[in-house]
Amino acid sequence: MKRKIIFLLILFLLSGVSGFCAFAADEIPKITYDLCSVNTGWNGTSANGQAILLPDGRYATAFRAALSEQSGSAQLGVRYQVNLSGIGWLHEAEGGRKTGFSGGIAPIEAIRISLYNSDASKYDVYYSVYQNQAWTAWTKNGETAGTEGKGLQVEGVRARIVPAGSAAPSEHIVDPDAPMVALTFDDGPRAQTTARVLDALEAAGGRATFFMVGKNAAKAENAAVIQRMTEMGCALGNHTYDHVDLKKTAEADAKKQIQKTSDAVKAAGGSPTTLLRPPYGSTDAQTKKIAGALGYPVILWNVDTLDWKTKNTANTVKTILDNVQDGDIILMHDIYEQTAEAAEQVIPELVRRGYQLVTVPEMAAARGISLAPGSAYGKIKANR
Ligand code: NI
């Protein structure tokens, strides 16, 4: 009897151990990378598709990459090469060693990254660089990212390893293990100021969530920014048609307010609104019931910039940068010049500080939270 128990115990342990090994071998290795720029030095490592974007006016002169979180059994290495302005392609480097000149001034114009060793055929490495105010298309496995010989400098980089044959990463990679914030903008759209917010987001490779007022979405002059939000992968939210206090609105009228807004956004060429933010954050059991019936989760916030009240750029910037934490939902209003200006300052700074700028649904998905219609959400904490 005793022997049988020991035998079963050994069997159990063996199955447990072999199960663990199989899991580790399935794990996709992560690539880490860093850029060095004149005066500011190494930026700080990013990984797994998360963008490095150098501060304004800076460009890269050296690059390094390595693999992390690799299972013990994987036989994989990473090699990389940079093209320096006026010099051309340097020799390949590997294993975290720098290539280019950390004290030099010649800008990197292009980068190539490839995998080697016996497991290299199991994976593709995708990468792209930020150049001429935009991300280049994803390239892979030793192809050139960037333009050689045109004097265009590399100002950012992102890279990711995927199983061989996988599609190129979407433009919207979210690393669930890295910090993220959801910027949210209410009361718009307003063509000119919303476009400035979108410009800043696009330049930083970020997205945001826009809770639109239906009557603004219905204005012909605002159709272009709504289409752009959709193309950029921003989340389109509903803030009622006339900015009404839903707690003081009869059920049938409240539903009309939400429905009409969704219709206006769609008519403007936007994707249907999928999230509700009640004006004034005014929400009760009835509001949630209505939201639930129409399929909307109710999205509140946990950092209030009070931008509508102060109309002060510096104040809005300070409120965000002094308070920002992983998982925050930050409230702003994209109808004010001062907020557009604050967004232009704060968006690149948040990226520099290592935050991913994601939509509310992206943040929820990355944190393992499903946004349930009729439930209200503020800060999104990890559900692990
Ligand atoms: Ni509002």
Side-chain angles (χ1 to χ4, degrees):
M1 188 64 189
K2 216 174 193 180
R3 218 180 255 177
K4 197 175 176 192
I5 288 172
I6 289 168
F7 173 75
L8 284 172
L9 190 69
I10 289 170
L11 205 67
F12 171 76
L13 284 173
L14 280 175
S15 68
V17 166
S18 67
F20 175 75
C21 287
F23 174 74
D26 283 349
E27 218 163 82
I28 298 163
K30 279 187 183 180
I31 180 168
T32 64
Y33 38 94
D34 202 352
L35 287 178
C36 186
S37 75
V38 194
N39 302 329
T40 51
W42 290 98
N43 177 79
T45 304
S46 277
N48 210 24
Q50 202 191 339
I52 288 179
L53 197 56
L54 294 175
D56 249 357
R58 305 286 180 202
Y59 58 85
T61 58
F63 173 73
R64 60 187 177 195
L67 298 177
S68 73
E69 293 185 26
Q70 195 175 325
S71 67
S73 57
Q75 291 295 310
L76 197 64
V78 62
R79 285 191 188 118
Y80 40 92
Q81 203 179 7
V82 297
N83 187 293
L84 285 184
S85 215
I87 298 171
W89 289 102
L90 303 188
H91 287 295
E92 280 183 323
E94 57 185 63
R97 277 182 287 276
K98 80 164 188 216
T99 179
F101 299 103
S102 40
I105 54 160
I108 294 177
E109 293 190 2
I111 291 178
R112 291 172 181 156
I113 306 175
S114 56
L115 300 172
Y116 68 95
N117 237 337
S118 53
D119 281 345
S121 61
K122 293 183 188 167
Y123 303 104
D124 291 327
V125 58
Y126 275 94
Y127 46 98
S128 98
V129 297
Y130 192 82
Q131 189 168 57
N132 205 17
Q133 301 189 337
W135 288 102
T136 60
W138 289 99
T139 46
K140 65 173 179 177
N141 304 337
E143 295 165 0
T144 301
T147 311
E148 305 165 47
K150 289 200 176 161
L152 295 174
Q153 56 213 29
V154 165
E155 293 160 7
V157 69
R158 52 188 185 175
R160 187 181 175 90
I161 293 173
V162 298
S166 304
S170 84
E171 284 306 300
H172 314 310
I173 296 168
V174 179
D175 179 355
D177 300 323
M180 61 187 86
V181 291
L183 299 177
T184 65
F185 295 91
D186 289 9
D187 293 3
R190 181 180 163 218
Q192 192 214 343
T193 43
T194 304
R196 286 175 66 182
V197 172
L198 291 173
D199 287 344
L201 285 168
E202 196 166 50
R207 276 94 50 216
T209 305
F210 292 87
F211 292 97
M212 290 181 275
V213 166
K215 65 180 178 191
N216 290 339
K219 289 181 186 163
E221 77 228 37
N222 292 332
V225 285
I226 294 173
Q227 288 159 22
R228 222 179 129 199
M229 286 171 196
T230 307
E231 284 158 17
M232 283 173 59
C234 291
L236 279 56
N238 196 311
H239 200 49
T240 77
Y241 198 85
D242 296 300
H243 204 271
V244 296
D245 185 338
L246 287 173
K247 267 159 79 170
K248 298 177 183 162
T249 307
E251 186 174 339
D253 291 338
K255 283 184 174 168
K256 255 184 237 164
Q257 283 281 331
I258 296 166
Q259 212 77 68
K260 249 176 101 181
T261 302
S262 179
D263 291 345
V265 169
K266 273 189 274 180
S271 52
T273 57
T274 55
L275 311 164
L276 176 69
R277 174 168 286 160
Y280 320 103
S282 176
T283 179
D284 59 8
Q286 165 88 347
T287 317
K288 288 186 202 166
K289 192 187 132 203
I290 292 165
L294 296 176
Y296 288 82
V298 175
I299 309 299
L300 302 170
W301 60 85
N302 71 307
V303 175
D304 189 349
T305 61
L306 296 176
D307 60 335
W308 59 275
K309 200 172 181 180
T310 69
K311 298 204 182 68
N312 181 307
T313 301
N315 201 298
T316 301
V317 169
K318 189 172 159 37
T319 304
I320 295 171
L321 296 181
D322 285 357
N323 294 293
V324 65
Q325 287 186 331
D326 183 26
D328 280 345
I329 300 178
I330 299 172
L331 171 62
M332 283 184 276
H333 299 79
D334 54 324
I335 52 171
Y336 304 110
E337 302 287 336
Q338 296 89 343
T339 298
E341 202 174 325
E344 287 164 352
Q345 294 176 25
V346 94
I347 285 169
E349 181 56 27
L350 288 170
V351 173
R352 268 172 229 137
R353 293 187 183 189
Y355 288 100
Q356 305 172 92
L357 302 179
V358 299
T359 65
V360 171
E362 282 174 334
M363 189 151 79
R367 295 285 147 92
I369 292 163
S370 58
L371 297 171
S375 292
Y377 302 85
K379 186 182 171 80
I380 295 194
K381 294 188 191 110
N383 194 15
R384 296 179 271 171

PDB file of all heavy atoms in Angstrom, residues 186-187 239 243, ligand 1:
ATOM      1  N   ASP A 186     -13.312  63.833 -23.172  1.00  0.00           N
ATOM      2  CA  ASP A 186     -14.769  63.990 -23.199  1.00  0.00           C
ATOM      3  C   ASP A 186     -15.185  65.257 -23.946  1.00  0.00           C
ATOM      4  O   ASP A 186     -14.385  66.175 -24.128  1.00  0.00           O
ATOM      5  CB  ASP A 186     -15.309  64.111 -21.775  1.00  0.00           C
ATOM      6  CG  ASP A 186     -15.241  62.794 -21.009  1.00  0.00           C
ATOM      7  OD1 ASP A 186     -14.621  61.839 -21.508  1.00  0.00           O
ATOM      8  OD2 ASP A 186     -15.808  62.748 -19.907  1.00  0.00           O
ATOM      9  N   ASP A 187     -16.456  65.277 -24.296  1.00  0.00           N
ATOM     10  CA  ASP A 187     -17.177  66.478 -24.767  1.00  0.00           C
ATOM     11  C   ASP A 187     -16.921  66.859 -26.229  1.00  0.00           C
ATOM     12  O   ASP A 187     -17.580  67.744 -26.746  1.00  0.00           O
ATOM     13  CB  ASP A 187     -16.894  67.710 -23.888  1.00  0.00           C
ATOM     14  CG  ASP A 187     -17.453  67.557 -22.481  1.00  0.00           C
ATOM     15  OD1 ASP A 187     -18.003  66.484 -22.183  1.00  0.00           O
ATOM     16  OD2 ASP A 187     -17.330  68.500 -21.688  1.00  0.00           O
ATOM     17  N   HIS A 239     -21.043  59.874 -24.968  1.00  0.00           N
ATOM     18  CA  HIS A 239     -21.164  60.838 -23.864  1.00  0.00           C
ATOM     19  C   HIS A 239     -22.526  61.532 -23.945  1.00  0.00           C
ATOM     20  O   HIS A 239     -22.672  62.661 -23.496  1.00  0.00           O
ATOM     21  CB  HIS A 239     -19.999  61.834 -23.972  1.00  0.00           C
ATOM     22  CG  HIS A 239     -19.685  62.587 -22.706  1.00  0.00           C
ATOM     23  ND1 HIS A 239     -19.532  61.987 -21.485  1.00  0.00           N
ATOM     24  CD2 HIS A 239     -19.457  63.911 -22.482  1.00  0.00           C
ATOM     25  CE1 HIS A 239     -19.228  62.907 -20.571  1.00  0.00           C
ATOM     26  NE2 HIS A 239     -19.193  64.083 -21.148  1.00  0.00           N
ATOM     27  N   HIS A 243     -25.266  66.000 -23.923  1.00  0.00           N
ATOM     28  CA  HIS A 243     -24.545  66.146 -22.656  1.00  0.00           C
ATOM     29  C   HIS A 243     -25.514  66.261 -21.489  1.00  0.00           C
ATOM     30  O   HIS A 243     -25.442  67.179 -20.667  1.00  0.00           O
ATOM     31  CB  HIS A 243     -23.583  67.346 -22.700  1.00  0.00           C
ATOM     32  CG  HIS A 243     -22.452  67.225 -21.716  1.00  0.00           C
ATOM     33  ND1 HIS A 243     -22.534  67.683 -20.434  1.00  0.00           N
ATOM     34  CD2 HIS A 243     -21.232  66.659 -21.818  1.00  0.00           C
ATOM     35  CE1 HIS A 243     -21.407  67.432 -19.784  1.00  0.00           C
ATOM     36  NE2 HIS A 243     -20.593  66.807 -20.618  1.00  0.00           N
TER      37      HIS A 243
HETATM   38 NI    NI B   1     -18.713  65.982 -20.263  1.00  0.00          NI
END
